[in-house]
Amino acid sequence: MAHGVVHRALDGYRFQISGDLDLTLPFTSVSRFAVDGRIYELTSGDHDAAASWAQDLGIRHFDDEFSVQGGTLRTTRVTHYDERVGLEDHLLAVIWQGRNFSMFIPMYSARAADAVRLFQLLRVTEHDDGITVASRNPKRAGIAEPADVAKEIPGLGLLEITALTKTTARRLPGWSGARVPSGELFRDTLDDDTTYFLLATPSAVVTVLPHEAEQTVKVANRLGGLRVEAVA
């Protein structure tokens, strides 16, 4: 059992997660940035996360490679078929690889030069606990959506964690939740009647999607021992 870990989100928040739970699995962080009027989704994680993304796209090799901001930037063009909507997507698969972490970005209707230009407008910094991204030119680039950290915890499910701000506080229900040692716990359902939980701590909002619907009672009990703190 791991009783405490720290994960850094793309927007710079560090999440200190603790509890009598298995916290050993890796994490990813996702955020959206607006650059020159377009929205790009950036995902960071360990090298395996980027490799799995490339494998899912059927990538066997990359066409271009550049040294960028202390890491290696690789790009290749991919034709991806989206079974949900029945359409083909022509995208540029972009991976930036640092020492311990990687970041990947799908760029549509783009060339390798566009990926290089994107990294000229965004500053990428690798830390011991994750990657952060900031704008180099606020007039042309900036964060469009708060970053979150996604993490699987056995016995709980998938956690999506974001800092508690005026923007993210709108995700909380309008009713009172149950008091737990780390904050306030809410239970709600998705459109397909799947049960999920929201844990509001003094500094973070945690969405919990249980692995098994029949385990929701056990998940609720275990959530009482989960502590999540966001540090700017």
Side-chain angles (χ1 to χ4, degrees):
M1 290 288 185
H3 294 279
V5 294
V6 178
H7 300 318
R8 191 183 295 261
L10 282 167
D11 58 4
Y13 279 98
R14 300 171 70 243
F15 294 101
Q16 299 174 349
I17 308 169
S18 60
D20 191 17
L21 299 159
D22 181 356
L23 304 176
T24 58
L25 294 180
F27 76 100
T28 58
S29 178
V30 179
S31 188
R32 290 177 174 85
F33 283 78
V35 181
D36 286 340
R38 302 190 68 174
I39 301 295
Y40 297 96
E41 183 174 276
L42 282 58
T43 304
S44 66
D46 62 14
H47 298 323
D48 287 343
S52 295
W53 180 71
Q55 183 177 13
D56 289 343
L57 291 174
I59 296 173
R60 296 183 179 180
H61 68 275
F62 288 88
D63 298 326
D64 298 286
E65 183 174 305
F66 311 90
S67 293
V68 175
Q69 299 193 44
T72 302
L73 180 67
R74 297 184 176 92
T75 70
T76 190
R77 292 185 179 182
V78 177
T79 299
H80 176 241
Y81 182 74
D82 191 331
E83 296 182 352
R84 295 174 300 175
V85 296
L87 295 175
E88 281 187 348
D89 288 327
H90 299 276
L91 63 85
L92 183 75
V94 179
I95 291 180
W96 181 91
Q97 183 175 357
R99 299 182 310 277
N100 300 310
F101 297 96
S102 293
M103 182 168 63
F104 50 94
I105 313 166
M107 297 180 64
Y108 297 90
S109 303
R111 300 170 300 171
D114 298 314
V116 173
R117 191 175 302 111
L118 180 69
F119 278 78
Q120 290 173 342
L121 295 171
L122 297 176
R123 179 181 293 106
V124 180
T125 305
E126 184 175 18
H127 306 268
D128 291 339
D129 50 10
I131 291 172
T132 60
V133 176
S135 173
R136 283 181 157 182
N137 187 336
K139 293 183 178 180
R140 297 179 58 186
I143 192 166
E145 187 174 311
D148 65 35
V149 161
K151 183 179 180 68
E152 293 274 358
I153 297 182
L156 282 185
L158 174 64
L159 275 64
E160 295 180 357
I161 309 167
T162 188
L164 179 62
T165 64
K166 290 182 179 180
T167 299
T168 59
R170 298 171 188 162
R171 303 177 187 177
L172 300 176
W175 62 87
S176 297
R179 300 301 305 178
V180 294
S182 60
E184 195 170 9
L185 182 63
F186 303 87
R187 176 173 176 169
D188 205 348
T189 56
L190 301 173
D191 292 339
D192 62 358
D193 291 330
T194 299
T195 296
Y196 73 97
F197 296 94
L198 275 174
L199 175 64
T201 77
S203 59
V205 177
V206 185
T207 302
V208 183
L209 302 173
H211 287 139
E212 301 292 341
E214 62 270 16
Q215 299 295 319
T216 55
V217 174
K218 291 183 179 179
V219 169
N221 292 334
R222 289 171 179 163
L223 277 172
L226 177 69
R227 287 173 173 76
V228 180
E229 180 182 357
V231 180

